[in-house]
Amino acid sequence: MSNITPDLGSGIVGNFGGNPPAKYIHDELYVRALVLDNGDKRIVFVVVDNISIAREVFDEAKKNIQKETGIDPKHILMSATHTHSSVSGTWTGRRRHWWNYGLPFDDYQLFLIKRIADGVRNAVKNLEPAKIAWGVGSVPQHVFNRRWIMKEKVKSPFGGYEAVRMNPGVNNENKKEPAGPTDPDVSFISVQALDGRPISILANYSTHYAGGVPKNDVSADYFGVFADRIQQLIGADRQFPHFVGIMSNGTSGDINTVNYGGVQRRYEPYEKMKVVAEDLAQEVYRVYKDLEYHTWIPLDAIQKEVYLKTRTSTAEQIARAKQVLKRPKDKEYWHVHERSYANRLLRMDAEYPRDINIILQAYRIGDLGVSSLPFEVFAETGLELKKKSPFKTTFTIGLANGSYGYLPPPEQHKLGGYETWIGTSKVQEDATVILVDELVKMFIEIK
C-alpha cells in the first residue's frame, strides 16, 4: 500500500455542483497493489482510491514500474475504485481532457504516478513463496439497478422524451421496472504465505459506491472500509509484512445501493458504507474459510489496443444546442441539465477526436479469468462476459487503464437515460458488442 491522500483545499469531484474544497480527511486514500509470480510469468493488480484516472497517468506509472522492476506494462492492470470523495485523477482545467494527449500532468497526477509506482515496487520487495485460491460469494442486498423504465416517457436534455430515468426516487409513481439486471457476486483472490499467514485478498463487487459522505470530506468509501474489515476478520492485524486488503469496482455503471422499488431507511454520514463493507467482508470471510489453495498455478496476461469511434451529433442536435445556449440563463429550461449537456454536445462536436484507442486486458490465474475495461460498465456486460468466458470463474474490473465514461449496451442506448447521454457516454453505441467479442477471444487465447 502507498498513501495518496490529497492536501486539504484540493477540489473534491464526484457530484453535480462543482468541486468543493477538501476540509477534512475522514479516512486516508491508498494505492493497493498485488504482484503474482509463478516463476514463469509476473502479473500485477493496482487498485487506486480515486473516482477515475486518465490513461496517461496510468501509462506513465507503468513506465516507471518497468524502469524500476522490469515488469512488462502489458502485465500491469491498473484501476480506480470510483469513490466519489476524492480528487480527480483525470485532466483538470478548461481544456485538459482525456483526448488532449501530451499535456503536462498537474501536481496531484504527478503525485499519483510516483505513489502508484512506489506501491508496486514495495509489493515486489515483499515477494515470497506463497499459495493462492479464489472464490465467489453472493451479496444481493446492495446491488440495485438505478435505471428505471418509466410508465410515461420523461424529458431528455436534448429535447424530446426518453423511456428511462436514473435514480427515479422511491415515491415516483411513474416508475415501472428496472431497465436491466444486477450482479450479486463478490469474487475474490486470496494469497497466503506457505505457513498460512494472510498476504492479500483482492475482491471485486459491482455496486457504484455507498456515499453518505459530507461534501467537503475525503473518503475511500466502502472500498477502504472493506480492506480494513476483512483484515480484522481473518486475523491479519499488526503483522509484517502488512496484509493488503483490496476491493476493486466491477461492472457497476448502472448499479447502486439504493432500492427504489422498496422501503428506504435513513443512514447517518458514513453509516451506509460500513454496512455495505461489513456484509461484503462477512461473505468473503465465509467463503474464505473453505478455500483450497494451490502452491503453483499457470499465470498469463494479454493486452490489446482497440480503436473505437466517438459519439457524433446530428445537425439538428447541434442547432438546438446552440439555441439553448443563446437563451438567458434565468429562463426556464426544458430539462434541468439542458444547458450543461448542450455545452458538452458542442464541445464533443468541435474538439473530440473521431476515434480513440483503449486498452483491453485479460488475465489467467489458474482457472480464474479476469478481464478489464476502461469504462463504467453495465452489469449486463459483466454477466455476458461471465457467461461467454472459457474459465470456470470470471470477473471484470471496470475503470481500468483509463476512464472514458459510461459504456451502455446498444439496447440501453435505445432507452435513453443519463448514462446514455452524449457527453456522459463518449464512444460508439455498439462498443460493448466489439469489446465483449475481443475479450472473449483474448480469454480463449490465454486459456
Side-chain angles (χ1 to χ4, degrees):
M1 295 167 62
S2 55
N3 193 305
I4 56 165
T5 306
D7 297 335
L8 291 179
S10 302
I12 295 174
V13 295
N15 298 286
F16 285 108
N19 305 122
K23 297 182 179 180
Y24 178 67
I25 308 298
H26 176 269
D27 54 286
E28 305 283 344
L29 306 185
Y30 289 95
V31 171
R32 296 175 169 90
L34 173 62
V35 177
L36 303 177
D37 188 330
N38 68 354
D40 178 41
K41 295 283 179 68
R42 181 173 288 187
I43 65 173
V44 181
F45 290 95
V46 174
V47 179
V48 186
D49 288 331
N50 196 278
I51 186 168
S52 61
I53 296 178
R55 172 180 173 172
E56 291 75 22
V57 174
F58 281 147
D59 282 352
E60 192 67 20
K62 290 176 184 179
K63 289 178 185 177
N64 289 357
I65 292 165
Q66 183 181 34
K67 179 180 178 181
E68 296 294 336
T69 69
I71 300 173
D72 186 345
K74 294 179 181 179
H75 290 191
I76 305 172
L77 193 166
M78 295 184 174
S79 68
T81 61
H82 203 58
T83 172
H84 274 225
S85 306
S86 68
V87 173
S88 178
T90 55
W91 303 111
T92 57
R94 175 173 167 76
R95 296 187 63 81
R96 286 186 172 187
H97 305 284
W98 53 263
W99 68 90
N100 290 142
Y101 302 110
L103 283 174
F105 296 111
D106 64 28
D107 289 344
Y108 190 65
Q109 289 175 322
L110 290 171
F111 178 59
L112 281 177
I113 290 165
K114 176 62 176 172
R115 297 302 284 151
I116 289 170
D118 288 349
V120 175
R121 291 172 67 188
N122 279 330
V124 171
K125 179 79 172 178
N126 286 337
L127 280 168
E128 63 175 300
K131 55 186 180 180
I132 189 169
W134 50 92
V136 182
S138 181
V139 185
Q141 63 267 37
H142 300 302
V143 286
F144 299 96
N145 199 297
R146 69 182 190 176
R147 289 168 49 80
W148 279 69
I149 296 173
M150 310 305 284
K151 296 174 185 175
E152 295 182 7
K153 290 186 176 183
V154 293
K155 292 180 178 179
S156 160
F158 305 104
Y161 296 84
E162 56 192 3
V164 159
R165 182 173 177 181
M166 179 188 76
N167 296 336
V170 176
N171 299 318
N172 189 332
E173 295 183 356
N174 188 34
K175 67 180 187 292
K176 181 181 179 182
E177 60 187 5
T182 62
D183 183 352
D185 288 354
V186 53
S187 305
F188 67 97
I189 299 166
S190 173
V191 184
Q192 295 183 348
L194 294 181
D195 63 3
R197 172 175 49 84
I199 293 175
S200 181
I201 288 178
L202 185 155
N204 180 265
Y205 188 58
S206 294
T207 204
H208 223 72
Y209 65 102
V213 180
K215 70 176 184 178
N216 297 106
D217 290 10
V218 169
S219 173
D221 208 276
Y222 81 88
F223 310 95
V225 183
F226 170 87
D228 181 64
R229 185 67 179 115
I230 194 63
Q231 174 176 281
Q232 294 174 318
L233 287 173
I234 65 175
D237 285 329
R238 295 179 176 84
Q239 67 176 36
F240 188 82
H242 302 296
F243 170 83
V244 180
I246 310 172
M247 174 59 75
S248 61
N249 199 320
T251 53
S252 67
D254 57 341
I255 308 298
N256 64 21
T257 62
V258 183
N259 181 9
Y260 289 108
V263 177
Q264 294 298 298
R265 59 161 285 195
R266 287 190 176 275
Y267 292 90
E268 295 298 318
Y270 294 105
E271 181 184 5
K272 192 170 191 179
M273 68 176 67
K274 294 177 182 177
V275 172
V276 174
E278 179 69 20
D279 288 348
L280 286 166
Q282 290 289 351
E283 178 65 359
V284 168
Y285 182 54
R286 181 189 69 80
V287 179
Y288 169 89
K289 290 183 288 186
D290 295 322
L291 293 176
E292 295 184 8
Y293 285 82
H294 310 269
T295 55
W296 189 90
I297 54 167
L299 295 176
D300 209 347
I302 186 170
Q303 175 175 307
K304 184 171 184 179
E305 298 216 11
V306 177
Y307 280 85
L308 296 173
K309 296 176 182 177
T310 54
R311 300 278 297 276
T312 56
S313 305
T314 65
E316 291 78 12
Q317 287 173 323
I318 293 169
R320 184 183 184 281
K322 291 179 178 178
Q323 287 299 318
V324 166
L325 296 178
K326 286 180 181 178
R327 299 176 194 159
K329 290 186 178 181
D330 59 354
K331 183 178 176 62
E332 184 176 344
Y333 286 97
W334 170 260
H335 188 282
V336 65
H337 296 305
E338 186 175 31
R339 187 177 184 87
S340 172
Y341 277 84
N343 267 312
R344 293 193 189 198
L345 185 149
L346 292 176
R347 283 174 54 202
M348 281 195 70
D349 181 69
E351 301 176 11
Y352 278 32
R354 294 281 68 94
D355 56 50
I356 57 168
N357 62 313
I358 61 105
I359 291 176
L360 296 182
Q361 280 181 306
Y363 280 178
R364 177 188 182 182
I365 302 168
D367 200 26
L368 168 68
V370 181
S371 58
S372 73
L373 287 160
F375 299 92
E376 294 186 60
V377 185
F378 278 34
E380 63 192 88
T381 300
L383 291 169
E384 183 180 3
L385 280 164
K386 288 181 180 183
K387 183 178 179 180
K388 293 181 177 179
S389 169
F391 291 98
K392 184 177 180 180
T393 305
T394 300
F395 65 82
T396 298
I397 297 177
L399 289 166
N401 304 305
S403 176
Y404 301 95
Y406 285 86
L407 188 69
E411 59 271 21
Q412 293 292 335
H413 272 289
K414 295 175 184 177
L415 297 173
Y418 166 77
E419 298 86 352
T420 72
W421 295 346
I422 295 177
T424 303
S425 170
K426 301 179 177 73
V427 296
Q428 61 192 82
E429 294 186 11
D430 63 345
T432 57
V433 178
I434 297 168
L435 299 178
V436 168
D437 182 61
E438 290 291 347
L439 282 169
V440 171
K441 290 177 182 176
M442 291 163 69
F443 273 149
I444 292 171
E445 186 172 342
I446 59 176
K447 184 72 165 69

